[in-house]
Amino acid sequence: MLNRLIDMGRDDFARDVWARTALHTRRADDFSDLFSADAVDELVSRRGLRTPFLRVAKDGTTLPDASFTSSAGVGATISDQLDDTAVWRAFRDGATLVLQALQRTWEPLGDFVAGLGAELGHPVQANAYVTPPQNRGFDDHYDVHDVFVLQIHGTKRWLIHEPVHPDPLRDQPWTDRRSAVAEAAKGEPRIDTVLEPGDTLYLPRGWLHSAQAQGAVSIHLTLGIHNWTRYALAEQLTRSALAMLRDDPRMRATLPLGVEEPGDELGLVRDLLVAAVEKADPAPLFHRARRGQGRPAPLGPLVQFAAVDGLGPDSAVRLREGLEARLEGLRLRTRVGWLDFPESDLASLTRVLDGEAHRAGDVGVGLVERLLRAGVVVPVAS
């Protein structure tokens, strides 16, 4: 997936660009298989989308949801569905349409985003920005995640400036540094370029940017990479250490009567905390958090029912993609829950986790039935 977005090798990108600097790639690929103008029209007018799958922005301000949503009539009276007439009028008047989380609503992007996230090791989401000619939706700002920009239709001029706050965390948005961002945006840009269809732009989190459509409607995709950081790993480590300290009676002890300052107690607490950090294993919490940030591949209930109903020794199955499946002792943890197994099943289960297709008779019909019923494996079409 990554090789469609850049014109250099993965190792060179990892060493010289990733999380370090912006990168503009001319004619990286043809992305018409992922998204198009027709896709925009279908999503807005025919899919019954609700907020927050669409935002509408103009001149740096996000419009209220009520200005472009309404009830969809008999049998679909939910009030926050997109009103295509209202969306058209906002777009006609210069607003940018932001179709959010397209990996959930547009199948080609769902498959691409899942593959890219697995390759990068960081969760990815896809948004589309649809901007009328000579307009822009947002002022200069920075994101708290890395992005790949893929120009789909039309052209857009991008002005890129270096960070005023490198590597911002999720709770450090650009609005906290609004004046510094505005001042930096007055300076000479690091990149001043017009993206054309097939061009890409990589921006690490914190890099300032603004974009304006040129002489035609512009559509670009933004693939947001929700970076795992050392700070996030430290959070998992600290939580693991604190969980261990719950079992230490010295930590559960009440502070002395009449205590006003904690100074006399901090020495012992600090020593116990440091010792716990040295012993703590953050991996279980880390993997649990990773599983919670993504979704497994789609699962059709009727296809799955037929697979269970017709299961036999020759039935072929494979591990469902995107599960983040991990064996921890006798327990299998996945994005759809956990299952415990007897030790006698572990060898066969390990084979199933390789992601390849396997005959039920080769790994055990009973084991396969249990995994099918849990949504862990899916049938392979003959």
Side-chain angles (χ1 to χ4, degrees):
M1 304 295 179
L2 181 61
N3 63 355
R4 294 190 63 180
L5 308 180
I6 54 177
D7 62 358
M8 62 173 61
R10 175 191 172 92
D11 291 343
D12 291 338
F13 177 80
R15 182 187 64 245
D16 300 330
V17 179
W18 173 253
R20 291 178 177 83
T21 190
L23 176 68
H24 176 207
T25 303
R26 290 282 189 198
R27 295 177 292 279
D29 202 357
D30 177 5
F31 300 117
S32 59
D33 60 315
L34 298 181
F35 205 63
S36 65
D38 289 341
V40 174
D41 283 344
E42 180 174 338
L43 285 162
V44 169
S45 65
R46 297 184 180 275
R47 291 293 185 96
L49 294 187
R50 302 171 61 189
T51 56
F53 285 108
L54 179 74
R55 283 188 299 150
V56 179
K58 184 178 181 182
D59 299 328
T61 300
T62 300
L63 304 186
D65 292 351
S67 68
F68 58 88
T69 59
S70 66
S71 169
V74 175
T77 54
I78 299 169
S79 62
D80 64 347
Q81 295 187 70
L82 303 190
D83 181 332
D84 48 10
T85 302
V87 171
W88 153 242
R89 288 171 177 169
F91 185 75
R92 175 201 64 194
D93 293 339
T96 289
L97 311 182
V98 186
L99 288 156
Q100 302 192 126
L102 284 168
Q103 75 277 4
R104 295 287 292 122
T105 59
W106 195 250
E107 182 178 354
L109 278 172
D111 295 339
F112 184 82
V113 164
L116 182 63
E119 185 175 356
L120 297 177
H122 299 260
V124 179
Q125 76 170 73
N127 292 351
Y129 293 77
V130 187
T131 306
Q134 306 301 329
N135 281 273
R136 69 177 185 177
F138 300 93
D139 294 333
D140 294 275
H141 65 284
Y142 66 74
D143 294 319
V144 294
H145 50 265
D146 290 16
V147 299
F148 275 104
V149 175
L150 288 61
Q151 188 68 26
I152 302 296
H153 180 88
T155 59
K156 197 168 235 184
R157 183 187 180 193
W158 287 76
L159 299 178
I160 311 298
H161 293 81
E162 294 189 10
V164 298
H165 182 61
D167 299 326
L169 299 174
R170 298 287 295 173
D171 60 353
Q172 297 175 326
W174 75 273
T175 50
D176 291 349
R177 294 169 173 80
R178 191 184 298 270
S179 59
V181 168
E183 187 62 29
K186 297 175 183 177
E188 189 73 18
R190 173 72 173 273
I191 295 175
D192 180 350
T193 190
V194 174
L195 292 192
E196 300 178 348
D199 290 357
T200 65
L201 182 65
Y202 167 73
L203 298 177
R205 56 198 163 103
W207 281 66
L208 311 185
H209 54 278
S210 65
Q212 180 166 325
Q214 300 300 284
V217 170
S218 168
I219 304 172
H220 77 262
L221 290 172
T222 292
L223 306 181
I225 305 163
H226 293 253
N227 313 70
W228 278 99
T229 65
R230 292 192 180 102
Y231 185 86
L233 189 57
E235 289 181 316
Q236 308 297 343
L237 180 62
T238 304
R239 288 176 58 192
S240 298
L242 289 174
M244 293 173 58
L245 290 174
R246 291 170 61 87
D247 294 328
D248 190 324
R250 294 170 296 179
M251 289 294 286
R252 298 200 308 271
T254 303
L255 294 180
L257 188 68
V259 66
E260 294 184 0
E261 296 292 337
D264 294 340
E265 301 292 332
L266 279 179
L268 174 61
V269 171
R270 183 176 288 110
D271 290 343
L272 292 175
L273 181 58
V274 169
V277 166
E278 290 178 347
K279 295 178 182 177
D281 179 9
L285 285 176
F286 175 79
H287 292 300
R288 186 185 307 167
R290 278 178 60 93
R291 287 193 294 269
Q293 286 189 330
R295 294 180 59 89
L299 183 73
L302 300 187
V303 170
Q304 200 75 359
F305 180 88
V308 173
D309 192 48
L311 181 63
D314 292 329
S315 301
V317 298
R318 60 171 173 78
L319 183 69
R320 185 179 174 188
E321 293 181 0
L323 280 183
E324 288 282 335
R326 294 179 63 85
L327 259 179
E328 298 176 359
L330 300 178
R331 176 164 292 178
L332 175 67
R333 294 191 181 274
T334 75
R335 280 191 169 128
V336 294
W338 55 266
L339 295 168
D340 287 331
F341 292 89
E343 191 168 353
S344 57
D345 280 346
L346 292 188
S348 293
L349 183 59
T350 300
R351 289 182 62 192
V352 173
L353 295 183
D354 66 9
E356 301 296 326
H358 295 279
R359 290 177 64 254
D362 295 335
V363 294
V365 174
L367 173 64
V368 168
E369 181 177 358
R370 188 179 180 197
L371 295 174
L372 279 169
R373 290 185 179 278
V376 172
V377 297
V378 293
V380 176
S382 57

